[in-house]
Amino acid sequence: MKHYSIAVIPGDGIGPEVMSEGLKVLKVIEEIHGGVRFNKDSFEWNCDYYLKHGKMMPDNALGILKDYDSILLGAIGAESVPDHISVWELILPIRRAFQQYINLRPIKLLRGIEGPLRNKTNNIDFVVIRENTEGEYTNIGGRLHQNTPYELAVQNNVFTRYGIERVINYAYSLAEKRRKKRLTVATKSNGIYHTMPYWDEIAKEVGQKYPKIKTDYCHIDALSAYFVTKPEYFDVVVGSNLFGDILTDLGAAIVGGLGIAPSGNINPEKNFPSMFEPIHGSAPDIAGKGISNPIALIWSIGLMMEHLNFKNIADLIVKSIEEVLVARTVLTPDLGGNASTVEVGDQIIEEMIKLSVKSF
Ligand code: ATP
């Protein structure tokens, strides 16, 4: 029997709703597999916690989390707390302290989903790897001459050899395992003078170790257009923190929207826990109505299972989600249905049980 400790952070808005479906899925995995147990601890660190304590999580939070095998996050963000606080005091410290330098986001058109792109009804199946610890998202910089007509703001980008090498290496090794054996490097070396040529230069150096992989370099503006006009071309796409962030929301949009899209913040060496979360935020417009789509969170659990070396369970989760999508009888309103969060969660679980009889 293998035991895994999971730190659960339901968070804000729809986070707790989708998380409770995720917890049901973890329980079913235990029942189906028989050889795996999850020791789950839930942490109520969110914007309400901030309003009470003046911080998003306790001072020793990272010390507490570091001993878990994985972290499962619902969503963070509320109108009562500015985004730069909720993100910079909870999500970013976790990603950085635990060297989760890979942000992995599958962009896959699942069976049963009719994406918004006409004539692209299948064949969209790629992964975006976003650098997750440096790049454009730093707090280095500042403001000068505040409250004068000469006021100015400087924001520094940070690109290190170490940081670029490790993310490009990861992207190449993922491309080696995939069908098309192709890596697309997102860049903007024709506009950003220092950092992007440096990013390209190091990517080229690293690429020499992977002669079997076809590599192309694509400027971020053109690349965004290609995500719409020829998404079937891509296999693995790697981008800096900002570029990866923007590309993956676009990626989510072409395969059915935020309600489905999962992500993993991964420390490939497994020296620290990795964190799995839906791409979507707290969705305050629908929070509390019981209609949020739990698929993104449940698919994120699939990514977690793959990271914990249970590829068969990851596949079972994705197949079960697809069965529900194909049947079209139990879907939340974002996918054109009128089912509740709980009903979709239950339906996925029913499929998992049905399919597992065949797989295990
Ligand atoms: P935040 O500030 O926390 O990121 P947001 O409103 O800016 O919140 P999202 O939470 O990602 O961004 O929501 C964007 C839109 O997508 C909203 O209209 C929301 O209702 C919808 N949405 C996001 N997640 C889901 C979901 N799981 N199910 C249904 N709709 C969703």
Side-chain angles (χ1 to χ4, degrees):
M1 178 77 71
K2 288 197 165 153
H3 288 260
Y4 294 94
S5 55
I6 313 289
V8 175
I9 307 177
D12 298 296
I14 62 169
E17 301 169 21
V18 292
M19 185 60 79
S20 64
E21 298 315 300
L23 295 179
K24 280 159 47 180
V25 167
L26 290 181
K27 195 153 170 282
V28 169
I29 293 172
E30 291 177 333
E31 285 162 16
I32 289 173
H33 192 279
V36 55
R37 286 284 171 275
F38 300 107
N39 302 325
K40 306 176 286 286
D41 293 315
S42 194
F43 298 96
E44 303 304 317
W45 301 334
N46 55 17
C47 291
D48 284 344
Y49 185 95
Y50 179 86
L51 294 176
K52 272 192 221 125
H53 302 278
K55 47 188 144 186
M56 288 297 295
M57 46 185 194
D59 294 338
N60 61 344
L62 296 173
I64 296 171
L65 293 176
K66 102 176 158 1
D67 294 324
Y68 284 86
D69 291 307
S70 285
I71 302 165
L72 204 49
L73 178 74
I76 291 293
E79 273 163 34
S80 49
V81 178
D83 277 351
H84 71 268
I85 293 180
S86 53
V87 172
W88 276 90
E89 289 195 9
L90 195 146
I91 296 178
L92 293 187
I94 294 175
R95 287 178 179 170
R96 287 178 183 178
F98 299 146
Q99 294 292 312
Q100 296 167 350
Y101 61 90
I102 299 300
N103 190 267
L104 181 140
R105 299 184 171 190
I107 307 294
K108 182 174 160 71
L109 191 63
L110 297 180
R111 281 188 299 125
I113 288 284
E114 204 177 298
L117 302 180
R118 210 162 20 99
N119 304 332
K120 305 281 180 199
T121 47
N122 50 32
N123 222 7
I124 303 180
D125 183 1
F126 61 96
V127 181
V128 177
I129 301 296
R130 161 186 170 192
E131 201 293 322
N132 213 21
T133 53
E134 53 175 48
E136 303 86 349
Y137 292 2
T138 74
N139 51 0
I140 301 177
R143 290 198 194 186
L144 198 60
H145 305 310
Q146 268 163 300
N147 305 318
T148 74
Y150 321 107
E151 185 168 4
L152 63 95
V154 173
Q155 169 75 49
N156 289 332
N157 294 349
V158 174
F159 285 77
T160 65
R161 170 171 284 279
Y162 179 68
I164 303 171
E165 277 178 356
R166 65 184 182 176
V167 73
I168 300 283
N169 262 310
Y170 184 90
Y172 268 114
S173 37
L174 182 62
E176 279 187 320
K177 290 186 214 130
R178 290 179 58 94
R179 210 165 29 91
K180 294 183 192 156
K181 311 256 177 276
R182 172 178 292 141
L183 178 69
T184 303
V185 180
T187 183
K188 190 60 193 166
S189 47
N190 63 351
I192 298 176
Y193 197 81
H194 294 293
T195 52
M196 278 297 132
Y198 185 56
W199 164 271
D200 291 359
E201 194 180 302
I202 294 177
K204 279 178 192 149
E205 267 177 49
V206 173
Q208 286 171 3
K209 286 193 294 179
Y210 303 89
K212 292 202 185 112
I213 305 297
K214 298 177 277 284
T215 310
D216 43 59
Y217 290 76
C218 193
H219 293 303
I220 187 68
D221 37 354
L223 186 52
S224 317
Y226 293 147
F227 266 33
V228 176
T229 56
K230 52 170 192 176
E232 68 282 2
Y233 172 83
F234 299 105
D235 193 13
V236 179
V237 179
V238 63
S240 63
N241 213 334
L242 172 67
F243 290 174
D245 193 6
I246 297 170
L247 281 177
T248 46
D249 266 35
L250 177 55
I254 62 171
V255 292
L258 285 172
I260 309 179
S263 80
N265 302 278
I266 294 174
N267 172 246
E269 294 78 18
K270 300 190 177 170
N271 294 332
F272 299 102
S274 293
M275 176 164 70
F276 299 85
E277 55 173 324
I279 290 185
H280 65 70
S282 58
D285 52 335
I286 55 165
K289 296 185 180 160
I291 54 164
S292 56
N293 193 339
I295 291 180
L297 190 273
I298 294 174
W299 191 355
S300 303
I301 292 178
L303 297 184
M304 179 179 92
M305 294 314 297
E306 192 162 350
H307 182 71
L308 296 174
N309 293 330
F310 290 94
K311 174 88 170 72
N312 54 349
I313 295 182
D315 291 344
L316 175 70
I317 290 176
V318 174
K319 267 196 210 137
S320 307
I321 292 171
E322 284 186 319
E323 290 304 319
V324 173
L325 294 171
V326 169
R328 297 205 66 78
T329 46
V330 185
L331 296 177
T332 43
D334 57 308
L335 295 181
N338 54 14
S340 68
T341 311
V342 174
E343 285 166 334
V344 172
D346 287 345
Q347 196 64 27
I348 293 172
I349 285 167
E350 205 176 303
E351 289 298 337
M352 284 177 70
I353 294 168
K354 251 197 257 167
L355 290 173
S356 68
V357 176
K358 297 178 201 155
S359 339
F360 290 99

